[in-house]
Amino acid sequence: MAASVVGTAPLGKGLDISLAALQRHDPYISSILDVASQVALYTFGHRVNEWEKTDVEGTLFVYTRSASPKYGFTIMNRLSMENRTEPITKDLDFQLQDPFLLYRNAKCE
């Protein structure tokens, strides 16, 4: 998976509303650590050997949780009601290739 990060939003005003929205999906989210205002999610198609855009696009929130796992991130999807949420665990591999963040989760997605 890859997320293309267009810009980051300053932390501060408005995050209370965002935190409340995130907590409706996960009541254990305790604080927002960082925000990217516009990201798009791509998956790597092994059969065609190229990146394919998904229907996940929106704001990326990196947050702390009061339960395990202690960290996670969510893309609040503007294109549908299905958000993309990933717990940050030892099984999540990251690689930063600016402006892209590449990751592979425990399901090898």
Side-chain angles (χ1 to χ4, degrees), residues 18 21-22 25 56-61 74-80 82-84:
S18 298
L22 288 167
H25 298 281
V56 178
E57 186 176 304
T59 304
L60 172 75
F61 295 94
T74 295
I75 299 172
M76 295 295 276
N77 197 356
R78 291 186 181 115
L79 302 179
S80 78
E82 293 185 35
N83 298 324
R84 172 59 138 215

Side-chain angles (χ1 to χ4, degrees), residues 11-29:
L11 297 179
K13 192 169 186 162
L15 283 187
D16 290 342
I17 295 169
S18 298
L19 180 59
L22 288 167
Q23 288 172 330
R24 282 194 291 275
H25 298 281
D26 180 352
Y28 295 105
I29 295 174

Side-chain angles (χ1 to χ4, degrees), residues 2 6 12-13 18 23 39 41-43 53 55 58 68 70 73 75 78 85 91-92 96 101 103 105 108:
V6 173
K13 192 169 186 162
S18 298
Q23 288 172 330
V39 300
L41 186 69
Y42 293 79
T43 59
K53 191 171 184 315
D55 64 347
S68 185
K70 293 292 185 184
F73 65 87
I75 299 172
R78 291 186 181 115
T85 299
D91 297 322
L92 191 66
L96 181 61
L101 172 65
Y103 76 90
N105 60 21
C108 292

Side-chain angles (χ1 to χ4, degrees), residues 5-9 34-39 58-61:
V5 180
V6 173
T8 58
D34 207 354
V35 177
S37 59
Q38 179 61 36
V39 300
T59 304
L60 172 75
F61 295 94

